Amino acid sequence: MKMITFSFEPRAEDVFWSSDRRPEHPDRPEHPELTGADFSMSYFQADVRLVVHGVDLSLRTPGLPVVDFALMLEYARRELEARSGIAVETSVTKHVYSFSRGPEVVTLTTNYASAVAQLTWDELCHLTDLAKAEAFRLITTAHPELRDHAWLRETVGAGASPTA
């Protein structure tokens, strides 16, 4: 039985998911290549499907780039290695995820749902790896040419395994 369900559901109104749209910034003809800020703040937006041990923390909102969510989780996980708690916020939509690490479990709350979820440290690490791998997979499925984008590959694609 799967204890954590996670996926990104690309937003139909985000034209960057379309393979017909060139993956470049339309307002920078002199430097059209997408930057880290473009990936984190603007493009490849999705809803988040997240259920942790039966607690639904899914988020449906326009404007949440998949890379932003994946990097938010990565930052929280890294900080929890040295601290017992942290609140992190998605850059664009300002949704807050609060994590507190106890001896046995990590407790996760949000500012958009009253539910409280608990997961193990290993589950949080797996969720983080999965979010990064899924962001990279979705983006490079829509635009295979972005597999060679250095920032994207190094930030969310490094070590991403298809079975994560």
PDB file of all heavy atoms in Angstrom, residues 29-65:
ATOM      1  N   PRO A  29      14.380  38.654 -26.488  1.00  0.00           N
ATOM      2  CA  PRO A  29      14.921  38.133 -27.749  1.00  0.00           C
ATOM      3  C   PRO A  29      16.449  38.121 -27.779  1.00  0.00           C
ATOM      4  O   PRO A  29      17.051  37.279 -28.432  1.00  0.00           O
ATOM      5  CB  PRO A  29      14.347  39.069 -28.812  1.00  0.00           C
ATOM      6  CG  PRO A  29      13.858  40.264 -28.091  1.00  0.00           C
ATOM      7  CD  PRO A  29      13.568  39.849 -26.676  1.00  0.00           C
ATOM      8  N   GLU A  30      17.065  39.015 -27.008  1.00  0.00           N
ATOM      9  CA  GLU A  30      18.534  39.053 -26.979  1.00  0.00           C
ATOM     10  C   GLU A  30      19.115  37.912 -26.135  1.00  0.00           C
ATOM     11  O   GLU A  30      20.274  37.554 -26.283  1.00  0.00           O
ATOM     12  CB  GLU A  30      19.024  40.420 -26.448  1.00  0.00           C
ATOM     13  CG  GLU A  30      18.820  40.657 -24.963  1.00  0.00           C
ATOM     14  CD  GLU A  30      17.363  40.950 -24.558  1.00  0.00           C
ATOM     15  OE1 GLU A  30      16.485  41.058 -25.427  1.00  0.00           O
ATOM     16  OE2 GLU A  30      17.121  41.065 -23.342  1.00  0.00           O
ATOM     17  N   HIS A  31      18.323  37.359 -25.229  1.00  0.00           N
ATOM     18  CA  HIS A  31      18.762  36.242 -24.387  1.00  0.00           C
ATOM     19  C   HIS A  31      17.544  35.357 -24.121  1.00  0.00           C
ATOM     20  O   HIS A  31      16.976  35.368 -23.027  1.00  0.00           O
ATOM     21  CB  HIS A  31      19.353  36.773 -23.078  1.00  0.00           C
ATOM     22  CG  HIS A  31      19.764  35.682 -22.129  1.00  0.00           C
ATOM     23  ND1 HIS A  31      20.742  34.769 -22.423  1.00  0.00           N
ATOM     24  CD2 HIS A  31      19.311  35.358 -20.898  1.00  0.00           C
ATOM     25  CE1 HIS A  31      20.873  33.926 -21.401  1.00  0.00           C
ATOM     26  NE2 HIS A  31      20.009  34.260 -20.474  1.00  0.00           N
ATOM     27  N   PRO A  32      17.120  34.583 -25.097  1.00  0.00           N
ATOM     28  CA  PRO A  32      15.856  33.850 -24.974  1.00  0.00           C
ATOM     29  C   PRO A  32      15.925  32.587 -24.110  1.00  0.00           C
ATOM     30  O   PRO A  32      14.890  32.102 -23.683  1.00  0.00           O
ATOM     31  CB  PRO A  32      15.517  33.487 -26.420  1.00  0.00           C
ATOM     32  CG  PRO A  32      16.857  33.416 -27.100  1.00  0.00           C
ATOM     33  CD  PRO A  32      17.713  34.446 -26.424  1.00  0.00           C
ATOM     34  N   GLU A  33      17.133  32.066 -23.837  1.00  0.00           N
ATOM     35  CA  GLU A  33      17.218  30.823 -23.063  1.00  0.00           C
ATOM     36  C   GLU A  33      16.599  31.016 -21.685  1.00  0.00           C
ATOM     37  O   GLU A  33      16.797  32.024 -21.025  1.00  0.00           O
ATOM     38  CB  GLU A  33      18.672  30.381 -22.906  1.00  0.00           C
ATOM     39  CG  GLU A  33      18.793  29.091 -22.112  1.00  0.00           C
ATOM     40  CD  GLU A  33      20.211  28.562 -22.028  1.00  0.00           C
ATOM     41  OE1 GLU A  33      20.828  28.378 -23.084  1.00  0.00           O
ATOM     42  OE2 GLU A  33      20.682  28.344 -20.898  1.00  0.00           O
ATOM     43  N   LEU A  34      15.837  30.018 -21.263  1.00  0.00           N
ATOM     44  CA  LEU A  34      15.208  30.086 -19.941  1.00  0.00           C
ATOM     45  C   LEU A  34      16.272  30.051 -18.853  1.00  0.00           C
ATOM     46  O   LEU A  34      17.223  29.278 -18.914  1.00  0.00           O
ATOM     47  CB  LEU A  34      14.224  28.939 -19.764  1.00  0.00           C
ATOM     48  CG  LEU A  34      13.014  28.944 -20.693  1.00  0.00           C
ATOM     49  CD1 LEU A  34      12.126  27.731 -20.434  1.00  0.00           C
ATOM     50  CD2 LEU A  34      12.210  30.221 -20.543  1.00  0.00           C
ATOM     51  N   THR A  35      16.073  30.885 -17.834  1.00  0.00           N
ATOM     52  CA  THR A  35      16.997  30.962 -16.703  1.00  0.00           C
ATOM     53  C   THR A  35      16.405  30.209 -15.511  1.00  0.00           C
ATOM     54  O   THR A  35      15.238  29.815 -15.521  1.00  0.00           O
ATOM     55  CB  THR A  35      17.225  32.426 -16.303  1.00  0.00           C
ATOM     56  OG1 THR A  35      15.974  32.947 -15.816  1.00  0.00           O
ATOM     57  CG2 THR A  35      17.737  33.260 -17.465  1.00  0.00           C
ATOM     58  N   GLY A  36      17.184  30.071 -14.470  1.00  0.00           N
ATOM     59  CA  GLY A  36      16.690  29.469 -13.246  1.00  0.00           C
ATOM     60  C   GLY A  36      15.484  30.204 -12.707  1.00  0.00           C
ATOM     61  O   GLY A  36      14.516  29.601 -12.238  1.00  0.00           O
ATOM     62  N   ALA A  37      15.506  31.526 -12.789  1.00  0.00           N
ATOM     63  CA  ALA A  37      14.362  32.316 -12.318  1.00  0.00           C
ATOM     64  C   ALA A  37      13.123  32.031 -13.154  1.00  0.00           C
ATOM     65  O   ALA A  37      12.011  31.974 -12.622  1.00  0.00           O
ATOM     66  CB  ALA A  37      14.699  33.804 -12.352  1.00  0.00           C
ATOM     67  N   ASP A  38      13.295  31.841 -14.459  1.00  0.00           N
ATOM     68  CA  ASP A  38      12.142  31.514 -15.311  1.00  0.00           C
ATOM     69  C   ASP A  38      11.507  30.202 -14.870  1.00  0.00           C
ATOM     70  O   ASP A  38      10.286  30.096 -14.745  1.00  0.00           O
ATOM     71  CB  ASP A  38      12.559  31.411 -16.781  1.00  0.00           C
ATOM     72  CG  ASP A  38      13.022  32.730 -17.362  1.00  0.00           C
ATOM     73  OD1 ASP A  38      12.528  33.793 -16.934  1.00  0.00           O
ATOM     74  OD2 ASP A  38      13.880  32.688 -18.260  1.00  0.00           O
ATOM     75  N   PHE A  39      12.336  29.187 -14.638  1.00  0.00           N
ATOM     76  CA  PHE A  39      11.823  27.885 -14.209  1.00  0.00           C
ATOM     77  C   PHE A  39      11.197  27.963 -12.817  1.00  0.00           C
ATOM     78  O   PHE A  39      10.187  27.327 -12.544  1.00  0.00           O
ATOM     79  CB  PHE A  39      12.940  26.828 -14.187  1.00  0.00           C
ATOM     80  CG  PHE A  39      13.357  26.340 -15.535  1.00  0.00           C
ATOM     81  CD1 PHE A  39      14.582  26.700 -16.060  1.00  0.00           C
ATOM     82  CD2 PHE A  39      12.535  25.512 -16.287  1.00  0.00           C
ATOM     83  CE1 PHE A  39      14.986  26.240 -17.302  1.00  0.00           C
ATOM     84  CE2 PHE A  39      12.920  25.045 -17.531  1.00  0.00           C
ATOM     85  CZ  PHE A  39      14.158  25.413 -18.044  1.00  0.00           C
ATOM     86  N   SER A  40      11.803  28.723 -11.925  1.00  0.00           N
ATOM     87  CA  SER A  40      11.350  28.775 -10.535  1.00  0.00           C
ATOM     88  C   SER A  40      10.170  29.709 -10.305  1.00  0.00           C
ATOM     89  O   SER A  40       9.396  29.505  -9.370  1.00  0.00           O
ATOM     90  CB  SER A  40      12.494  29.241  -9.625  1.00  0.00           C
ATOM     91  OG  SER A  40      13.563  28.342  -9.684  1.00  0.00           O
ATOM     92  N   MET A  41      10.056  30.746 -11.126  1.00  0.00           N
ATOM     93  CA  MET A  41       9.068  31.785 -10.840  1.00  0.00           C
ATOM     94  C   MET A  41       7.941  31.912 -11.865  1.00  0.00           C
ATOM     95  O   MET A  41       6.923  32.514 -11.556  1.00  0.00           O
ATOM     96  CB  MET A  41       9.777  33.143 -10.749  1.00  0.00           C
ATOM     97  CG  MET A  41      10.873  33.216  -9.714  1.00  0.00           C
ATOM     98  SD  MET A  41      10.294  33.168  -8.032  1.00  0.00           S
ATOM     99  CE  MET A  41       9.543  34.759  -7.877  1.00  0.00           C
ATOM    100  N   SER A  42       8.132  31.366 -13.068  1.00  0.00           N
ATOM    101  CA  SER A  42       7.175  31.696 -14.115  1.00  0.00           C
ATOM    102  C   SER A  42       6.553  30.517 -14.850  1.00  0.00           C
ATOM    103  O   SER A  42       5.345  30.497 -15.045  1.00  0.00           O
ATOM    104  CB  SER A  42       7.848  32.601 -15.161  1.00  0.00           C
ATOM    105  OG  SER A  42       8.330  33.773 -14.559  1.00  0.00           O
ATOM    106  N   TYR A  43       7.355  29.587 -15.300  1.00  0.00           N
ATOM    107  CA  TYR A  43       6.878  28.624 -16.280  1.00  0.00           C
ATOM    108  C   TYR A  43       6.770  27.207 -15.733  1.00  0.00           C
ATOM    109  O   TYR A  43       7.354  26.866 -14.725  1.00  0.00           O
ATOM    110  CB  TYR A  43       7.785  28.645 -17.505  1.00  0.00           C
ATOM    111  CG  TYR A  43       7.896  30.031 -18.103  1.00  0.00           C
ATOM    112  CD1 TYR A  43       9.121  30.637 -18.282  1.00  0.00           C
ATOM    113  CD2 TYR A  43       6.751  30.742 -18.460  1.00  0.00           C
ATOM    114  CE1 TYR A  43       9.219  31.911 -18.825  1.00  0.00           C
ATOM    115  CE2 TYR A  43       6.841  32.026 -18.991  1.00  0.00           C
ATOM    116  CZ  TYR A  43       8.079  32.591 -19.174  1.00  0.00           C
ATOM    117  OH  TYR A  43       8.162  33.855 -19.688  1.00  0.00           O
ATOM    118  N   PHE A  44       6.025  26.395 -16.470  1.00  0.00           N
ATOM    119  CA  PHE A  44       5.775  24.995 -16.127  1.00  0.00           C
ATOM    120  C   PHE A  44       5.027  24.904 -14.797  1.00  0.00           C
ATOM    121  O   PHE A  44       5.479  24.309 -13.830  1.00  0.00           O
ATOM    122  CB  PHE A  44       7.074  24.177 -16.134  1.00  0.00           C
ATOM    123  CG  PHE A  44       7.759  24.212 -17.472  1.00  0.00           C
ATOM    124  CD1 PHE A  44       8.890  24.985 -17.683  1.00  0.00           C
ATOM    125  CD2 PHE A  44       7.241  23.491 -18.532  1.00  0.00           C
ATOM    126  CE1 PHE A  44       9.499  25.038 -18.926  1.00  0.00           C
ATOM    127  CE2 PHE A  44       7.844  23.532 -19.788  1.00  0.00           C
ATOM    128  CZ  PHE A  44       8.980  24.305 -19.985  1.00  0.00           C
ATOM    129  N   GLN A  45       3.853  25.520 -14.801  1.00  0.00           N
ATOM    130  CA  GLN A  45       3.004  25.570 -13.615  1.00  0.00           C
ATOM    131  C   GLN A  45       2.134  24.320 -13.521  1.00  0.00           C
ATOM    132  O   GLN A  45       1.713  23.762 -14.538  1.00  0.00           O
ATOM    133  CB  GLN A  45       2.128  26.814 -13.663  1.00  0.00           C
ATOM    134  CG  GLN A  45       2.943  28.081 -13.667  1.00  0.00           C
ATOM    135  CD  GLN A  45       2.113  29.308 -13.966  1.00  0.00           C
ATOM    136  OE1 GLN A  45       0.890  29.251 -14.039  1.00  0.00           O
ATOM    137  NE2 GLN A  45       2.778  30.430 -14.141  1.00  0.00           N
ATOM    138  N   ALA A  46       1.863  23.926 -12.287  1.00  0.00           N
ATOM    139  CA  ALA A  46       1.079  22.710 -12.070  1.00  0.00           C
ATOM    140  C   ALA A  46       0.342  22.788 -10.743  1.00  0.00           C
ATOM    141  O   ALA A  46       0.678  23.584  -9.868  1.00  0.00           O
ATOM    142  CB  ALA A  46       1.998  21.487 -12.072  1.00  0.00           C
ATOM    143  N   ASP A  47      -0.653  21.934 -10.623  1.00  0.00           N
ATOM    144  CA  ASP A  47      -1.272  21.667  -9.333  1.00  0.00           C
ATOM    145  C   ASP A  47      -0.469  20.553  -8.686  1.00  0.00           C
ATOM    146  O   ASP A  47       0.208  19.780  -9.373  1.00  0.00           O
ATOM    147  CB  ASP A  47      -2.726  21.220  -9.516  1.00  0.00           C
ATOM    148  CG  ASP A  47      -3.591  22.317 -10.112  1.00  0.00           C
ATOM    149  OD1 ASP A  47      -3.328  23.503  -9.839  1.00  0.00           O
ATOM    150  OD2 ASP A  47      -4.527  21.982 -10.859  1.00  0.00           O
ATOM    151  N   VAL A  48      -0.534  20.477  -7.370  1.00  0.00           N
ATOM    152  CA  VAL A  48       0.200  19.446  -6.641  1.00  0.00           C
ATOM    153  C   VAL A  48      -0.797  18.481  -6.025  1.00  0.00           C
ATOM    154  O   VAL A  48      -1.727  18.905  -5.332  1.00  0.00           O
ATOM    155  CB  VAL A  48       1.069  20.074  -5.521  1.00  0.00           C
ATOM    156  CG1 VAL A  48       1.737  19.002  -4.688  1.00  0.00           C
ATOM    157  CG2 VAL A  48       2.095  21.017  -6.121  1.00  0.00           C
ATOM    158  N   ARG A  49      -0.600  17.219  -6.289  1.00  0.00           N
ATOM    159  CA  ARG A  49      -1.392  16.162  -5.643  1.00  0.00           C
ATOM    160  C   ARG A  49      -0.482  15.542  -4.594  1.00  0.00           C
ATOM    161  O   ARG A  49       0.544  14.951  -4.930  1.00  0.00           O
ATOM    162  CB  ARG A  49      -1.818  15.124  -6.674  1.00  0.00           C
ATOM    163  CG  ARG A  49      -2.492  13.929  -6.082  1.00  0.00           C
ATOM    164  CD  ARG A  49      -4.013  14.069  -6.203  1.00  0.00           C
ATOM    165  NE  ARG A  49      -4.647  12.825  -5.810  1.00  0.00           N
ATOM    166  CZ  ARG A  49      -5.320  12.684  -4.688  1.00  0.00           C
ATOM    167  NH1 ARG A  49      -5.469  13.699  -3.878  1.00  0.00           N
ATOM    168  NH2 ARG A  49      -5.865  11.544  -4.381  1.00  0.00           N
ATOM    169  N   LEU A  50      -0.823  15.737  -3.316  1.00  0.00           N
ATOM    170  CA  LEU A  50      -0.002  15.230  -2.222  1.00  0.00           C
ATOM    171  C   LEU A  50      -0.902  14.694  -1.118  1.00  0.00           C
ATOM    172  O   LEU A  50      -1.655  15.445  -0.497  1.00  0.00           O
ATOM    173  CB  LEU A  50       0.900  16.343  -1.667  1.00  0.00           C
ATOM    174  CG  LEU A  50       1.767  15.991  -0.462  1.00  0.00           C
ATOM    175  CD1 LEU A  50       2.708  14.827  -0.770  1.00  0.00           C
ATOM    176  CD2 LEU A  50       2.554  17.208   0.000  1.00  0.00           C
ATOM    177  N   VAL A  51      -0.830  13.398  -0.906  1.00  0.00           N
ATOM    178  CA  VAL A  51      -1.551  12.749   0.182  1.00  0.00           C
ATOM    179  C   VAL A  51      -0.513  11.977   0.995  1.00  0.00           C
ATOM    180  O   VAL A  51       0.191  11.120   0.466  1.00  0.00           O
ATOM    181  CB  VAL A  51      -2.656  11.803  -0.348  1.00  0.00           C
ATOM    182  CG1 VAL A  51      -3.387  11.146   0.817  1.00  0.00           C
ATOM    183  CG2 VAL A  51      -3.636  12.559  -1.245  1.00  0.00           C
ATOM    184  N   VAL A  52      -0.417  12.329   2.275  1.00  0.00           N
ATOM    185  CA  VAL A  52       0.564  11.716   3.174  1.00  0.00           C
ATOM    186  C   VAL A  52      -0.183  10.902   4.220  1.00  0.00           C
ATOM    187  O   VAL A  52      -0.858  11.471   5.078  1.00  0.00           O
ATOM    188  CB  VAL A  52       1.438  12.800   3.850  1.00  0.00           C
ATOM    189  CG1 VAL A  52       2.437  12.161   4.801  1.00  0.00           C
ATOM    190  CG2 VAL A  52       2.152  13.648   2.802  1.00  0.00           C
ATOM    191  N   HIS A  53      -0.086   9.580   4.119  1.00  0.00           N
ATOM    192  CA  HIS A  53      -0.752   8.673   5.066  1.00  0.00           C
ATOM    193  C   HIS A  53      -2.221   9.049   5.261  1.00  0.00           C
ATOM    194  O   HIS A  53      -2.709   9.155   6.388  1.00  0.00           O
ATOM    195  CB  HIS A  53      -0.007   8.632   6.396  1.00  0.00           C
ATOM    196  CG  HIS A  53       1.408   8.157   6.256  1.00  0.00           C
ATOM    197  ND1 HIS A  53       1.724   6.848   6.034  1.00  0.00           N
ATOM    198  CD2 HIS A  53       2.583   8.830   6.268  1.00  0.00           C
ATOM    199  CE1 HIS A  53       3.041   6.725   5.925  1.00  0.00           C
ATOM    200  NE2 HIS A  53       3.585   7.914   6.063  1.00  0.00           N
ATOM    201  N   GLY A  54      -2.901   9.310   4.155  1.00  0.00           N
ATOM    202  CA  GLY A  54      -4.326   9.611   4.195  1.00  0.00           C
ATOM    203  C   GLY A  54      -4.670  11.080   4.399  1.00  0.00           C
ATOM    204  O   GLY A  54      -5.836  11.458   4.290  1.00  0.00           O
ATOM    205  N   VAL A  55      -3.688  11.911   4.671  1.00  0.00           N
ATOM    206  CA  VAL A  55      -3.920  13.345   4.877  1.00  0.00           C
ATOM    207  C   VAL A  55      -3.702  14.066   3.546  1.00  0.00           C
ATOM    208  O   VAL A  55      -2.590  14.051   3.001  1.00  0.00           O
ATOM    209  CB  VAL A  55      -2.980  13.910   5.962  1.00  0.00           C
ATOM    210  CG1 VAL A  55      -3.185  15.413   6.118  1.00  0.00           C
ATOM    211  CG2 VAL A  55      -3.193  13.187   7.288  1.00  0.00           C
ATOM    212  N   ASP A  56      -4.751  14.684   3.048  1.00  0.00           N
ATOM    213  CA  ASP A  56      -4.692  15.328   1.735  1.00  0.00           C
ATOM    214  C   ASP A  56      -4.175  16.760   1.862  1.00  0.00           C
ATOM    215  O   ASP A  56      -4.833  17.619   2.453  1.00  0.00           O
ATOM    216  CB  ASP A  56      -6.076  15.316   1.087  1.00  0.00           C
ATOM    217  CG  ASP A  56      -6.058  15.711  -0.379  1.00  0.00           C
ATOM    218  OD1 ASP A  56      -5.008  16.193  -0.858  1.00  0.00           O
ATOM    219  OD2 ASP A  56      -7.093  15.536  -1.039  1.00  0.00           O
ATOM    220  N   LEU A  57      -3.000  16.998   1.325  1.00  0.00           N
ATOM    221  CA  LEU A  57      -2.393  18.334   1.303  1.00  0.00           C
ATOM    222  C   LEU A  57      -2.247  18.819  -0.139  1.00  0.00           C
ATOM    223  O   LEU A  57      -1.367  19.617  -0.450  1.00  0.00           O
ATOM    224  CB  LEU A  57      -1.028  18.307   1.996  1.00  0.00           C
ATOM    225  CG  LEU A  57      -1.046  17.917   3.477  1.00  0.00           C
ATOM    226  CD1 LEU A  57       0.365  17.791   4.021  1.00  0.00           C
ATOM    227  CD2 LEU A  57      -1.853  18.909   4.286  1.00  0.00           C
ATOM    228  N   SER A  58      -3.116  18.331  -1.008  1.00  0.00           N
ATOM    229  CA  SER A  58      -3.074  18.720  -2.411  1.00  0.00           C
ATOM    230  C   SER A  58      -3.331  20.211  -2.546  1.00  0.00           C
ATOM    231  O   SER A  58      -3.998  20.821  -1.709  1.00  0.00           O
ATOM    232  CB  SER A  58      -4.100  17.928  -3.210  1.00  0.00           C
ATOM    233  OG  SER A  58      -3.796  16.544  -3.144  1.00  0.00           O
ATOM    234  N   LEU A  59      -2.813  20.773  -3.619  1.00  0.00           N
ATOM    235  CA  LEU A  59      -2.893  22.213  -3.829  1.00  0.00           C
ATOM    236  C   LEU A  59      -3.243  22.484  -5.284  1.00  0.00           C
ATOM    237  O   LEU A  59      -2.525  22.082  -6.187  1.00  0.00           O
ATOM    238  CB  LEU A  59      -1.552  22.858  -3.485  1.00  0.00           C
ATOM    239  CG  LEU A  59      -1.422  24.358  -3.644  1.00  0.00           C
ATOM    240  CD1 LEU A  59      -2.437  25.098  -2.784  1.00  0.00           C
ATOM    241  CD2 LEU A  59      -0.011  24.795  -3.275  1.00  0.00           C
ATOM    242  N   ARG A  60      -4.352  23.142  -5.475  1.00  0.00           N
ATOM    243  CA  ARG A  60      -4.771  23.538  -6.823  1.00  0.00           C
ATOM    244  C   ARG A  60      -4.764  25.059  -6.869  1.00  0.00           C
ATOM    245  O   ARG A  60      -5.582  25.717  -6.225  1.00  0.00           O
ATOM    246  CB  ARG A  60      -6.166  22.998  -7.125  1.00  0.00           C
ATOM    247  CG  ARG A  60      -6.658  23.369  -8.499  1.00  0.00           C
ATOM    248  CD  ARG A  60      -7.922  22.626  -8.885  1.00  0.00           C
ATOM    249  NE  ARG A  60      -8.522  23.186 -10.071  1.00  0.00           N
ATOM    250  CZ  ARG A  60      -8.062  23.020 -11.301  1.00  0.00           C
ATOM    251  NH1 ARG A  60      -6.976  22.298 -11.504  1.00  0.00           N
ATOM    252  NH2 ARG A  60      -8.673  23.562 -12.334  1.00  0.00           N
ATOM    253  N   THR A  61      -3.809  25.586  -7.612  1.00  0.00           N
ATOM    254  CA  THR A  61      -3.698  27.032  -7.725  1.00  0.00           C
ATOM    255  C   THR A  61      -2.913  27.396  -8.970  1.00  0.00           C
ATOM    256  O   THR A  61      -1.890  26.799  -9.239  1.00  0.00           O
ATOM    257  CB  THR A  61      -3.010  27.643  -6.489  1.00  0.00           C
ATOM    258  OG1 THR A  61      -2.956  29.055  -6.626  1.00  0.00           O
ATOM    259  CG2 THR A  61      -1.622  27.115  -6.276  1.00  0.00           C
ATOM    260  N   PRO A  62      -3.391  28.334  -9.734  1.00  0.00           N
ATOM    261  CA  PRO A  62      -2.585  28.782 -10.873  1.00  0.00           C
ATOM    262  C   PRO A  62      -1.312  29.455 -10.367  1.00  0.00           C
ATOM    263  O   PRO A  62      -1.333  30.136  -9.350  1.00  0.00           O
ATOM    264  CB  PRO A  62      -3.467  29.794 -11.587  1.00  0.00           C
ATOM    265  CG  PRO A  62      -4.828  29.649 -11.001  1.00  0.00           C
ATOM    266  CD  PRO A  62      -4.681  28.999  -9.673  1.00  0.00           C
ATOM    267  N   GLY A  63      -0.237  29.236 -11.064  1.00  0.00           N
ATOM    268  CA  GLY A  63       0.974  29.977 -10.744  1.00  0.00           C
ATOM    269  C   GLY A  63       2.044  29.238  -9.976  1.00  0.00           C
ATOM    270  O   GLY A  63       3.035  29.850  -9.612  1.00  0.00           O
ATOM    271  N   LEU A  64       1.908  27.937  -9.713  1.00  0.00           N
ATOM    272  CA  LEU A  64       2.928  27.229  -8.950  1.00  0.00           C
ATOM    273  C   LEU A  64       3.835  26.437  -9.904  1.00  0.00           C
ATOM    274  O   LEU A  64       3.474  25.356 -10.357  1.00  0.00           O
ATOM    275  CB  LEU A  64       2.292  26.276  -7.938  1.00  0.00           C
ATOM    276  CG  LEU A  64       3.258  25.485  -7.065  1.00  0.00           C
ATOM    277  CD1 LEU A  64       4.151  26.410  -6.252  1.00  0.00           C
ATOM    278  CD2 LEU A  64       2.504  24.550  -6.136  1.00  0.00           C
ATOM    279  N   PRO A  65       5.010  26.979 -10.222  1.00  0.00           N
ATOM    280  CA  PRO A  65       5.933  26.240 -11.081  1.00  0.00           C
ATOM    281  C   PRO A  65       6.433  24.966 -10.389  1.00  0.00           C
ATOM    282  O   PRO A  65       6.733  24.978  -9.192  1.00  0.00           O
ATOM    283  CB  PRO A  65       7.082  27.223 -11.306  1.00  0.00           C
ATOM    284  CG  PRO A  65       6.475  28.573 -11.044  1.00  0.00           C
ATOM    285  CD  PRO A  65       5.478  28.329  -9.941  1.00  0.00           C
TER     286      PRO A  65
END
